[in-house]
Amino acid sequence: MFERHQGGDRAVLVCLDFGEPDYLENIEEFKLLAEGNGYKVMAVVQGKRQRPDPKLFAGSGKVEEIGAAVRGAGAQTVLFNHALSGAQERNLERALECRVSDRVRLILDIFGQRARSNEGKLQVELAQLQYMSTRLVRGWTHLERQGGGIGARGGPGETQLEMDKRMITERVKRLKDKLKDLQRQRDTQRRSRERGKQFSVSLVGYTNAGKSTLFNALTHAKAYAADQLFATLDTTSRKLFLDVDHSIVLSDTVGFIRDLPHGLVAAFRATLEETVRADLLLHVVDSASDTRDAQIAAVDSVLKEIDAGDAQQIVVFNKIDLKGGEPAVERDEYGRIRAVRISAKNALGLDLLRQALVEAVDGQSRDAERGSPAVTVYDPTKTE
């Protein structure tokens, strides 16, 4: 769908400070995003602004500085760690005489490369189309060759732009219809599981927190896990036997990130709704990250967006080995487990996590009877 850059393209990153917290940490994350998409980062241009410039986002003086960095590095692309409007993107490309891309497009491009299932590919294409429709100038006639054809070419008087808009609209409708069919299939499968009354648990967390590593450690599965952002996109589920009397269905889900494009959340909503319907969320956190609390807030924000903000949740502080931590369990004021400290990679604390899951299964019916709070929310201000 998107125009693919050549592997190893040299890129200049632009990261402007508008007063947000964790500015420097966000730069490092953006570097990982760029490198994960195959770019070779040659330079990072920084600066402070009160607000974006309406025409060039960065302002004319800063654009001159960016242009000098591009020429000095021989870069083919400039990547902004911000969301650009279509007009700003076009103005910047004219001024810099190279390809310009924003954070949203970079994330969509990564998703486009990593999607493996048919549904995942459809979801990503839908998000890409909706994003690109706001930047439409011309050049979308290649869509006629997808999905058996979009429709007849326009008659006399229909401009290229009008024809492209119509093609995108019709392709979006086709994609939404296909995704609705897949949603109906998933609903049927879920009703079947509900008849079996199987306790369901979903792993959620910031990208690269170690969800897939934990999933593999618990289930002995071979889900793809790597030290990179968005290593896997497709939801994977396995039955997990906790002991002779307890079993659950454990699902690994796509990782979240700050400022996750709304179009992507909307496109993946059908998949993410499996998270809403889980009996328990295991919120996996990279405990070694300096921006841990901001990452927790970013995940909670997306959970609220997909109506999963009130789901029962246990925080799993992963990677404790990186800071010399020990496995442990924390409880809230009701005596319920609120957090477990583990290292999935080194299998530390997994026994404590299994016990926490057994307790959650046993506590489900008791909670319904006595009406105690179903939600356990991590508060970073409390002593850990």
Side-chain angles (χ1 to χ4, degrees):
M1 176 56 58
F2 279 5
E3 173 191 351
R4 293 293 176 85
H5 65 86
Q6 299 298 313
D9 273 5
R10 293 184 294 276
V12 170
L13 309 189
V14 179
C15 303
L16 302 182
D17 183 1
F18 292 98
E20 307 98 329
D22 309 318
Y23 168 68
L24 294 178
E25 290 81 2
N26 290 339
I27 294 176
E28 293 304 312
E29 179 181 272
F30 193 54
K31 286 182 181 178
L32 289 176
L33 280 173
E35 292 166 354
N37 201 22
Y39 287 103
K40 183 178 181 181
V41 177
M42 305 301 295
V44 178
V45 176
Q46 302 181 46
K48 281 192 174 185
R49 285 190 66 87
Q50 291 279 334
R51 62 187 65 84
D53 177 74
K55 183 178 179 181
L56 294 169
F57 191 85
S60 57
K62 185 59 66 174
V63 169
E64 289 179 5
E65 180 183 340
I66 297 168
V70 168
R71 291 187 295 274
Q76 295 89 7
T77 304
V78 173
L79 302 174
F80 276 73
N81 190 23
H82 312 276
L84 302 174
S85 70
Q88 288 169 335
E89 189 175 290
R90 290 191 294 273
N91 291 336
L92 285 165
E93 287 187 337
R94 283 194 292 266
L96 297 171
E97 298 181 335
C98 69
R99 183 175 184 266
V100 174
S101 186
D102 67 358
R103 177 186 175 86
V104 176
R105 179 164 179 161
L106 182 61
I107 294 175
L108 290 175
D109 199 25
I110 292 174
F111 270 61
Q113 295 180 42
R114 304 275 170 80
R116 293 292 178 265
S117 70
N118 179 51
E119 183 173 18
K121 292 176 181 177
L122 293 176
Q123 289 168 326
V124 172
E125 184 184 350
L126 175 59
Q128 289 176 334
L129 276 172
Q130 292 173 328
Y131 169 83
M132 291 302 292
S133 66
T134 64
R135 287 156 163 74
L136 186 60
V137 179
R138 57 185 301 118
W140 287 82
T141 49
H142 65 280
L143 290 174
E144 294 178 66
R145 300 191 296 272
Q146 298 189 30
I150 299 292
R153 294 183 63 86
E158 184 177 36
T159 66
Q160 179 71 55
L161 181 59
E162 291 168 340
M163 187 164 57
D164 289 347
K165 286 181 177 178
R166 177 172 55 81
M167 288 179 178
I168 290 181
T169 300
E170 293 176 3
R171 179 63 179 167
V172 165
K173 183 178 183 302
R174 285 175 181 268
L175 290 171
K176 287 183 175 179
D177 288 344
K178 289 180 180 179
L179 289 170
K180 284 180 182 177
D181 289 340
L182 291 171
Q183 175 66 27
R184 283 192 287 268
Q185 294 175 20
R186 188 184 295 106
D187 288 342
T188 300
Q189 294 169 353
R190 185 180 62 253
R191 285 193 294 271
S192 177
R193 289 198 305 269
E194 288 174 349
R195 285 195 293 271
K197 296 182 179 179
Q198 187 73 62
F199 191 89
S200 60
V201 178
S202 287
L203 296 172
V204 299
Y206 207 78
T207 182
N208 210 32
K211 293 185 294 76
S212 295
T213 300
L214 176 57
F215 181 82
N216 290 338
L218 289 172
T219 65
H220 304 293
K222 295 181 180 180
Y224 181 66
D227 185 19
Q228 61 181 185
L229 304 183
F230 303 117
T232 182
L233 302 182
D234 300 315
T235 299
T236 306
S237 299
R238 293 286 188 277
K239 191 167 186 176
L240 172 60
F241 292 92
L242 300 172
D243 57 29
V244 293
D245 298 316
H246 300 85
S247 65
I248 62 172
V249 172
L250 183 66
S251 298
D252 186 18
T253 61
V254 63
F256 300 152
I257 197 170
R258 71 175 184 88
D259 301 327
L260 191 65
H262 291 294
L264 201 52
V265 174
F268 272 76
R269 188 180 183 90
T271 302
L272 293 172
E273 280 178 350
E274 292 297 296
T275 300
V276 180
R277 302 177 194 279
D279 295 302
L280 175 70
L281 304 183
L282 292 184
H283 182 164
V284 184
V285 176
D286 179 357
S287 64
S289 172
D290 294 333
T291 58
R292 179 187 65 190
D293 293 339
Q295 292 176 1
I296 291 173
V299 172
D300 286 339
S301 176
V302 177
L303 290 175
K304 289 179 182 178
E305 190 171 346
I306 61 172
D307 301 323
D310 292 333
Q312 183 177 343
Q313 181 182 132
I314 292 177
V315 176
V316 179
F317 288 108
N318 191 24
K319 307 184 184 182
I320 59 171
D321 54 300
L322 298 181
K323 295 282 188 173
E326 295 293 330
V329 170
E330 298 176 18
R331 294 182 180 271
D332 63 16
E333 59 269 33
Y334 299 99
R336 297 174 54 164
I337 295 175
R338 65 191 285 270
V340 183
R341 296 180 176 277
I342 70 162
S343 169
K345 183 178 180 180
N346 295 319
L348 299 175
L350 296 187
D351 55 336
L352 297 178
L353 182 55
R354 285 176 173 271
Q355 291 170 18
L357 290 171
V358 168
E359 189 171 317
V361 175
D362 288 341
Q364 186 182 45
S365 57
R366 292 199 304 269
D367 290 344
E369 291 174 0
R370 69 192 183 193
S372 63
V375 180
T376 299
V377 179
Y378 171 70
D379 183 353
T381 63
K382 292 185 177 180
T383 302
E384 297 175 5

PDB file of all heavy atoms in Angstrom, residues 326-350:
ATOM      1  N   GLU A 326      14.244  -8.811  42.786  1.00  0.00           N
ATOM      2  CA  GLU A 326      13.875 -10.155  43.185  1.00  0.00           C
ATOM      3  C   GLU A 326      12.403 -10.406  42.884  1.00  0.00           C
ATOM      4  O   GLU A 326      11.592  -9.477  42.936  1.00  0.00           O
ATOM      5  CB  GLU A 326      14.120 -10.349  44.688  1.00  0.00           C
ATOM      6  CG  GLU A 326      15.583 -10.269  45.105  1.00  0.00           C
ATOM      7  CD  GLU A 326      16.403 -11.422  44.553  1.00  0.00           C
ATOM      8  OE1 GLU A 326      15.832 -12.522  44.371  1.00  0.00           O
ATOM      9  OE2 GLU A 326      17.612 -11.224  44.302  1.00  0.00           O
ATOM     10  N   PRO A 327      12.029 -11.656  42.591  1.00  0.00           N
ATOM     11  CA  PRO A 327      10.611 -11.976  42.373  1.00  0.00           C
ATOM     12  C   PRO A 327       9.804 -11.636  43.618  1.00  0.00           C
ATOM     13  O   PRO A 327      10.259 -11.849  44.750  1.00  0.00           O
ATOM     14  CB  PRO A 327      10.624 -13.488  42.114  1.00  0.00           C
ATOM     15  CG  PRO A 327      12.018 -13.794  41.651  1.00  0.00           C
ATOM     16  CD  PRO A 327      12.902 -12.843  42.402  1.00  0.00           C
ATOM     17  N   ALA A 328       8.607 -11.086  43.406  1.00  0.00           N
ATOM     18  CA  ALA A 328       7.769 -10.690  44.539  1.00  0.00           C
ATOM     19  C   ALA A 328       6.336 -10.512  44.087  1.00  0.00           C
ATOM     20  O   ALA A 328       6.043 -10.414  42.893  1.00  0.00           O
ATOM     21  CB  ALA A 328       8.296  -9.395  45.164  1.00  0.00           C
ATOM     22  N   VAL A 329       5.449 -10.458  45.080  1.00  0.00           N
ATOM     23  CA  VAL A 329       4.022 -10.227  44.843  1.00  0.00           C
ATOM     24  C   VAL A 329       3.595  -9.025  45.667  1.00  0.00           C
ATOM     25  O   VAL A 329       3.995  -8.886  46.826  1.00  0.00           O
ATOM     26  CB  VAL A 329       3.188 -11.464  45.231  1.00  0.00           C
ATOM     27  CG1 VAL A 329       1.697 -11.135  45.205  1.00  0.00           C
ATOM     28  CG2 VAL A 329       3.467 -12.629  44.290  1.00  0.00           C
ATOM     29  N   GLU A 330       2.794  -8.134  45.076  1.00  0.00           N
ATOM     30  CA  GLU A 330       2.227  -6.997  45.798  1.00  0.00           C
ATOM     31  C   GLU A 330       0.716  -7.164  45.860  1.00  0.00           C
ATOM     32  O   GLU A 330       0.095  -7.617  44.894  1.00  0.00           O
ATOM     33  CB  GLU A 330       2.543  -5.679  45.081  1.00  0.00           C
ATOM     34  CG  GLU A 330       4.022  -5.364  44.963  1.00  0.00           C
ATOM     35  CD  GLU A 330       4.258  -4.102  44.160  1.00  0.00           C
ATOM     36  OE1 GLU A 330       3.294  -3.309  44.010  1.00  0.00           O
ATOM     37  OE2 GLU A 330       5.382  -3.916  43.667  1.00  0.00           O
ATOM     38  N   ARG A 331       0.127  -6.750  46.978  1.00  0.00           N
ATOM     39  CA  ARG A 331      -1.327  -6.850  47.138  1.00  0.00           C
ATOM     40  C   ARG A 331      -1.925  -5.468  47.415  1.00  0.00           C
ATOM     41  O   ARG A 331      -1.252  -4.587  47.957  1.00  0.00           O
ATOM     42  CB  ARG A 331      -1.682  -7.819  48.268  1.00  0.00           C
ATOM     43  CG  ARG A 331      -1.282  -9.262  47.956  1.00  0.00           C
ATOM     44  CD  ARG A 331      -1.689 -10.227  49.055  1.00  0.00           C
ATOM     45  NE  ARG A 331      -1.285 -11.580  48.702  1.00  0.00           N
ATOM     46  CZ  ARG A 331      -2.035 -12.440  48.010  1.00  0.00           C
ATOM     47  NH1 ARG A 331      -3.262 -12.075  47.631  1.00  0.00           N
ATOM     48  NH2 ARG A 331      -1.607 -13.656  47.727  1.00  0.00           N
ATOM     49  N   ASP A 332      -3.200  -5.319  47.057  1.00  0.00           N
ATOM     50  CA  ASP A 332      -3.883  -4.052  47.292  1.00  0.00           C
ATOM     51  C   ASP A 332      -4.548  -4.063  48.662  1.00  0.00           C
ATOM     52  O   ASP A 332      -4.364  -4.991  49.454  1.00  0.00           O
ATOM     53  CB  ASP A 332      -4.890  -3.758  46.172  1.00  0.00           C
ATOM     54  CG  ASP A 332      -6.008  -4.798  46.111  1.00  0.00           C
ATOM     55  OD1 ASP A 332      -6.184  -5.560  47.087  1.00  0.00           O
ATOM     56  OD2 ASP A 332      -6.713  -4.837  45.085  1.00  0.00           O
ATOM     57  N   GLU A 333      -5.347  -3.029  48.942  1.00  0.00           N
ATOM     58  CA  GLU A 333      -5.964  -2.900  50.263  1.00  0.00           C
ATOM     59  C   GLU A 333      -7.008  -3.973  50.544  1.00  0.00           C
ATOM     60  O   GLU A 333      -7.417  -4.170  51.695  1.00  0.00           O
ATOM     61  CB  GLU A 333      -6.603  -1.508  50.422  1.00  0.00           C
ATOM     62  CG  GLU A 333      -7.679  -1.189  49.398  1.00  0.00           C
ATOM     63  CD  GLU A 333      -7.127  -0.489  48.165  1.00  0.00           C
ATOM     64  OE1 GLU A 333      -5.974  -0.788  47.781  1.00  0.00           O
ATOM     65  OE2 GLU A 333      -7.859   0.341  47.592  1.00  0.00           O
ATOM     66  N   TYR A 334      -7.436  -4.690  49.485  1.00  0.00           N
ATOM     67  CA  TYR A 334      -8.396  -5.771  49.681  1.00  0.00           C
ATOM     68  C   TYR A 334      -7.693  -7.127  49.813  1.00  0.00           C
ATOM     69  O   TYR A 334      -8.351  -8.154  49.917  1.00  0.00           O
ATOM     70  CB  TYR A 334      -9.378  -5.837  48.505  1.00  0.00           C
ATOM     71  CG  TYR A 334     -10.184  -4.580  48.328  1.00  0.00           C
ATOM     72  CD1 TYR A 334      -9.810  -3.635  47.372  1.00  0.00           C
ATOM     73  CD2 TYR A 334     -11.298  -4.324  49.116  1.00  0.00           C
ATOM     74  CE1 TYR A 334     -10.541  -2.460  47.207  1.00  0.00           C
ATOM     75  CE2 TYR A 334     -12.032  -3.159  48.960  1.00  0.00           C
ATOM     76  CZ  TYR A 334     -11.641  -2.231  48.001  1.00  0.00           C
ATOM     77  OH  TYR A 334     -12.364  -1.084  47.836  1.00  0.00           O
ATOM     78  N   GLY A 335      -6.370  -7.102  49.803  1.00  0.00           N
ATOM     79  CA  GLY A 335      -5.624  -8.343  49.906  1.00  0.00           C
ATOM     80  C   GLY A 335      -5.487  -9.075  48.592  1.00  0.00           C
ATOM     81  O   GLY A 335      -4.988 -10.203  48.545  1.00  0.00           O
ATOM     82  N   ARG A 336      -5.899  -8.435  47.508  1.00  0.00           N
ATOM     83  CA  ARG A 336      -5.813  -9.070  46.197  1.00  0.00           C
ATOM     84  C   ARG A 336      -4.497  -8.706  45.522  1.00  0.00           C
ATOM     85  O   ARG A 336      -3.949  -7.628  45.730  1.00  0.00           O
ATOM     86  CB  ARG A 336      -6.990  -8.622  45.323  1.00  0.00           C
ATOM     87  CG  ARG A 336      -8.325  -9.053  45.877  1.00  0.00           C
ATOM     88  CD  ARG A 336      -9.474  -8.494  45.087  1.00  0.00           C
ATOM     89  NE  ARG A 336      -9.349  -8.821  43.672  1.00  0.00           N
ATOM     90  CZ  ARG A 336     -10.347  -8.719  42.808  1.00  0.00           C
ATOM     91  NH1 ARG A 336     -11.512  -8.278  43.209  1.00  0.00           N
ATOM     92  NH2 ARG A 336     -10.164  -9.031  41.556  1.00  0.00           N
ATOM     93  N   ILE A 337      -4.006  -9.632  44.711  1.00  0.00           N
ATOM     94  CA  ILE A 337      -2.738  -9.403  44.021  1.00  0.00           C
ATOM     95  C   ILE A 337      -2.897  -8.263  43.021  1.00  0.00           C
ATOM     96  O   ILE A 337      -3.779  -8.293  42.166  1.00  0.00           O
ATOM     97  CB  ILE A 337      -2.264 -10.680  43.312  1.00  0.00           C
ATOM     98  CG1 ILE A 337      -1.942 -11.760  44.354  1.00  0.00           C
ATOM     99  CG2 ILE A 337      -1.022 -10.404  42.459  1.00  0.00           C
ATOM    100  CD1 ILE A 337      -1.575 -13.098  43.767  1.00  0.00           C
ATOM    101  N   ARG A 338      -2.049  -7.250  43.143  1.00  0.00           N
ATOM    102  CA  ARG A 338      -2.081  -6.111  42.222  1.00  0.00           C
ATOM    103  C   ARG A 338      -0.891  -6.113  41.274  1.00  0.00           C
ATOM    104  O   ARG A 338      -0.941  -5.517  40.207  1.00  0.00           O
ATOM    105  CB  ARG A 338      -2.114  -4.781  43.003  1.00  0.00           C
ATOM    106  CG  ARG A 338      -0.857  -4.532  43.820  1.00  0.00           C
ATOM    107  CD  ARG A 338      -1.027  -3.361  44.773  1.00  0.00           C
ATOM    108  NE  ARG A 338      -0.967  -2.091  44.079  1.00  0.00           N
ATOM    109  CZ  ARG A 338       0.145  -1.407  43.865  1.00  0.00           C
ATOM    110  NH1 ARG A 338       1.310  -1.894  44.283  1.00  0.00           N
ATOM    111  NH2 ARG A 338       0.114  -0.250  43.255  1.00  0.00           N
ATOM    112  N   ALA A 339       0.221  -6.766  41.662  1.00  0.00           N
ATOM    113  CA  ALA A 339       1.413  -6.787  40.818  1.00  0.00           C
ATOM    114  C   ALA A 339       2.281  -7.989  41.170  1.00  0.00           C
ATOM    115  O   ALA A 339       2.297  -8.452  42.319  1.00  0.00           O
ATOM    116  CB  ALA A 339       2.218  -5.495  40.979  1.00  0.00           C
ATOM    117  N   VAL A 340       2.981  -8.489  40.158  1.00  0.00           N
ATOM    118  CA  VAL A 340       3.942  -9.583  40.334  1.00  0.00           C
ATOM    119  C   VAL A 340       5.227  -9.173  39.627  1.00  0.00           C
ATOM    120  O   VAL A 340       5.188  -8.643  38.512  1.00  0.00           O
ATOM    121  CB  VAL A 340       3.409 -10.907  39.740  1.00  0.00           C
ATOM    122  CG1 VAL A 340       4.401 -12.030  39.994  1.00  0.00           C
ATOM    123  CG2 VAL A 340       2.042 -11.255  40.313  1.00  0.00           C
ATOM    124  N   ARG A 341       6.368  -9.420  40.278  1.00  0.00           N
ATOM    125  CA  ARG A 341       7.663  -9.043  39.715  1.00  0.00           C
ATOM    126  C   ARG A 341       8.365 -10.301  39.212  1.00  0.00           C
ATOM    127  O   ARG A 341       8.576 -11.244  39.992  1.00  0.00           O
ATOM    128  CB  ARG A 341       8.518  -8.317  40.756  1.00  0.00           C
ATOM    129  CG  ARG A 341       7.891  -7.007  41.186  1.00  0.00           C
ATOM    130  CD  ARG A 341       8.733  -6.279  42.229  1.00  0.00           C
ATOM    131  NE  ARG A 341       8.106  -4.985  42.516  1.00  0.00           N
ATOM    132  CZ  ARG A 341       8.271  -3.893  41.786  1.00  0.00           C
ATOM    133  NH1 ARG A 341       9.065  -3.930  40.722  1.00  0.00           N
ATOM    134  NH2 ARG A 341       7.655  -2.772  42.089  1.00  0.00           N
ATOM    135  N   ILE A 342       8.739 -10.309  37.929  1.00  0.00           N
ATOM    136  CA  ILE A 342       9.295 -11.505  37.309  1.00  0.00           C
ATOM    137  C   ILE A 342      10.393 -11.145  36.307  1.00  0.00           C
ATOM    138  O   ILE A 342      10.609  -9.977  35.987  1.00  0.00           O
ATOM    139  CB  ILE A 342       8.205 -12.302  36.561  1.00  0.00           C
ATOM    140  CG1 ILE A 342       7.761 -11.506  35.312  1.00  0.00           C
ATOM    141  CG2 ILE A 342       7.021 -12.624  37.455  1.00  0.00           C
ATOM    142  CD1 ILE A 342       7.043 -12.339  34.278  1.00  0.00           C
ATOM    143  N   SER A 343      11.039 -12.174  35.804  1.00  0.00           N
ATOM    144  CA  SER A 343      11.862 -12.073  34.597  1.00  0.00           C
ATOM    145  C   SER A 343      11.458 -13.231  33.709  1.00  0.00           C
ATOM    146  O   SER A 343      11.794 -14.390  34.000  1.00  0.00           O
ATOM    147  CB  SER A 343      13.354 -12.142  34.922  1.00  0.00           C
ATOM    148  OG  SER A 343      14.105 -12.302  33.721  1.00  0.00           O
ATOM    149  N   ALA A 344      10.716 -12.934  32.658  1.00  0.00           N
ATOM    150  CA  ALA A 344      10.256 -13.992  31.758  1.00  0.00           C
ATOM    151  C   ALA A 344      11.432 -14.670  31.067  1.00  0.00           C
ATOM    152  O   ALA A 344      11.448 -15.890  30.881  1.00  0.00           O
ATOM    153  CB  ALA A 344       9.295 -13.410  30.727  1.00  0.00           C
ATOM    154  N   LYS A 345      12.430 -13.880  30.697  1.00  0.00           N
ATOM    155  CA  LYS A 345      13.577 -14.420  29.977  1.00  0.00           C
ATOM    156  C   LYS A 345      14.346 -15.427  30.821  1.00  0.00           C
ATOM    157  O   LYS A 345      14.817 -16.454  30.320  1.00  0.00           O
ATOM    158  CB  LYS A 345      14.505 -13.281  29.554  1.00  0.00           C
ATOM    159  CG  LYS A 345      15.702 -13.725  28.732  1.00  0.00           C
ATOM    160  CD  LYS A 345      16.541 -12.527  28.307  1.00  0.00           C
ATOM    161  CE  LYS A 345      17.742 -12.956  27.480  1.00  0.00           C
ATOM    162  NZ  LYS A 345      18.564 -11.787  27.057  1.00  0.00           N
ATOM    163  N   ASN A 346      14.472 -15.145  32.130  1.00  0.00           N
ATOM    164  CA  ASN A 346      15.240 -16.011  33.023  1.00  0.00           C
ATOM    165  C   ASN A 346      14.355 -16.895  33.904  1.00  0.00           C
ATOM    166  O   ASN A 346      14.858 -17.540  34.829  1.00  0.00           O
ATOM    167  CB  ASN A 346      16.159 -15.168  33.905  1.00  0.00           C
ATOM    168  CG  ASN A 346      17.219 -14.438  33.094  1.00  0.00           C
ATOM    169  OD1 ASN A 346      17.794 -15.001  32.167  1.00  0.00           O
ATOM    170  ND2 ASN A 346      17.470 -13.182  33.431  1.00  0.00           N
ATOM    171  N   ALA A 347      13.047 -16.907  33.608  1.00  0.00           N
ATOM    172  CA  ALA A 347      12.097 -17.766  34.331  1.00  0.00           C
ATOM    173  C   ALA A 347      12.100 -17.497  35.832  1.00  0.00           C
ATOM    174  O   ALA A 347      11.919 -18.418  36.641  1.00  0.00           O
ATOM    175  CB  ALA A 347      12.385 -19.245  34.051  1.00  0.00           C
ATOM    176  N   LEU A 348      12.278 -16.239  36.221  1.00  0.00           N
ATOM    177  CA  LEU A 348      12.227 -15.868  37.631  1.00  0.00           C
ATOM    178  C   LEU A 348      10.824 -15.400  37.991  1.00  0.00           C
ATOM    179  O   LEU A 348      10.258 -14.532  37.328  1.00  0.00           O
ATOM    180  CB  LEU A 348      13.228 -14.738  37.923  1.00  0.00           C
ATOM    181  CG  LEU A 348      14.707 -15.032  37.674  1.00  0.00           C
ATOM    182  CD1 LEU A 348      15.536 -13.769  37.887  1.00  0.00           C
ATOM    183  CD2 LEU A 348      15.183 -16.147  38.590  1.00  0.00           C
ATOM    184  N   GLY A 349      10.256 -15.965  39.048  1.00  0.00           N
ATOM    185  CA  GLY A 349       8.952 -15.525  39.525  1.00  0.00           C
ATOM    186  C   GLY A 349       7.762 -16.093  38.766  1.00  0.00           C
ATOM    187  O   GLY A 349       6.624 -15.712  39.049  1.00  0.00           O
ATOM    188  N   LEU A 350       7.989 -16.983  37.818  1.00  0.00           N
ATOM    189  CA  LEU A 350       6.863 -17.538  37.055  1.00  0.00           C
ATOM    190  C   LEU A 350       5.945 -18.373  37.946  1.00  0.00           C
ATOM    191  O   LEU A 350       4.742 -18.454  37.707  1.00  0.00           O
ATOM    192  CB  LEU A 350       7.375 -18.373  35.877  1.00  0.00           C
ATOM    193  CG  LEU A 350       8.151 -17.615  34.795  1.00  0.00           C
ATOM    194  CD1 LEU A 350       8.448 -18.533  33.614  1.00  0.00           C
ATOM    195  CD2 LEU A 350       7.383 -16.384  34.323  1.00  0.00           C
TER     196      LEU A 350
END
